[in-house]
Amino acid sequence: SGWQELTEAFNRFWAQRASASIKEYVSVIQFSYNARTTIKMQKLQGQPPVLKFKSGGTKFLPPIEEASALIQAHGPASGYTAVVVFMSDGRADDASMAAQRLSHLASTHLNSFACFSVGFGSNASRTLESMAFCNGTHASANYRSADVGSLGEIFEAISISIAPGRL
């Protein structure tokens, strides 16, 4: 299933990032029509946490607002580079507002912020491309489209891209 593939890709991403020699923290925001932070500023080490599925409609702005609040509280002002990996398998009527919010984060935090967006499956929207940013500006190279079976490879490529000095 798509959810199983996502959790496997997340676990692979976690293992790859946890093996890095630098201290990293992760927050996970899961969303449908609303957003919920299921992991908040957890040190990226050891076994990955278990993600639980919850279905529903798709809105992009609530999770971006939640991420923005986390970035304000724990991001560049606290000495961390904020990296958002935003993935969805659906379309949302608020995608342009979410992209505007990400654009504001990018222009505010410049090289201390990046957003990678991933459209997963046949219902994923190309509007996710408008939500990819790096170095203060839109970066379509940070957008990936994943077919069923390729999500793990996409997350691995993103993990390599966020290596220190590569943003």
Side-chain angles (χ1 to χ4, degrees):
S1 75
W3 178 252
Q4 181 178 346
E5 184 177 354
L6 170 62
T7 57
E8 288 171 2
F10 174 78
N11 292 345
R12 187 166 145 186
F13 178 85
W14 183 281
Q16 189 174 8
R17 299 304 308 158
S19 67
S21 60
I22 61 169
K23 183 170 62 171
E24 295 181 325
Y25 292 88
V26 67
S27 297
V28 174
I29 301 165
Q30 293 179 252
F31 66 97
S32 54
Y33 60 90
N34 62 8
R36 63 195 196 285
T37 301
T38 54
I39 300 167
K40 184 175 181 181
M41 287 298 290
Q42 181 174 327
K43 192 170 185 181
L44 209 156
Q45 64 183 14
Q47 293 298 310
V50 175
L51 302 178
K52 294 187 172 128
F53 180 75
K54 183 180 175 187
S55 65
T58 304
K59 295 283 186 186
F60 291 168
L61 190 57
I64 295 304
E65 288 176 338
E66 189 83 10
S68 180
L70 286 167
I71 290 166
Q72 288 302 110
H74 307 286
S78 299
Y80 293 102
T81 298
V83 178
V84 174
V85 179
F86 189 89
M87 196 209 90
S88 179
D89 64 351
R91 291 182 170 83
D93 60 6
D94 62 350
S96 65
M97 290 182 288
Q100 288 172 4
R101 185 74 171 127
L102 287 166
S103 178
H104 175 74
L105 287 168
S107 63
T108 300
H109 300 297
L110 302 173
N111 64 347
S112 293
F113 173 82
C115 181
F116 295 86
S117 59
V118 181
F120 177 63
S122 60
N123 290 327
S125 173
R126 288 279 300 177
T127 59
L128 286 164
E129 186 175 352
S130 69
M131 297 170 64
F133 291 88
C134 191
N135 295 322
T137 187
H138 179 255
S140 57
N142 280 8
Y143 167 75
R144 308 287 199 296
S145 177
D147 296 320
V148 173
S150 68
L151 196 54
E153 296 164 12
I154 297 288
F155 271 62
E156 186 174 340
I158 291 171
S159 178
I160 291 167
S161 295
I162 61 175
R166 296 200 58 172
L167 287 182

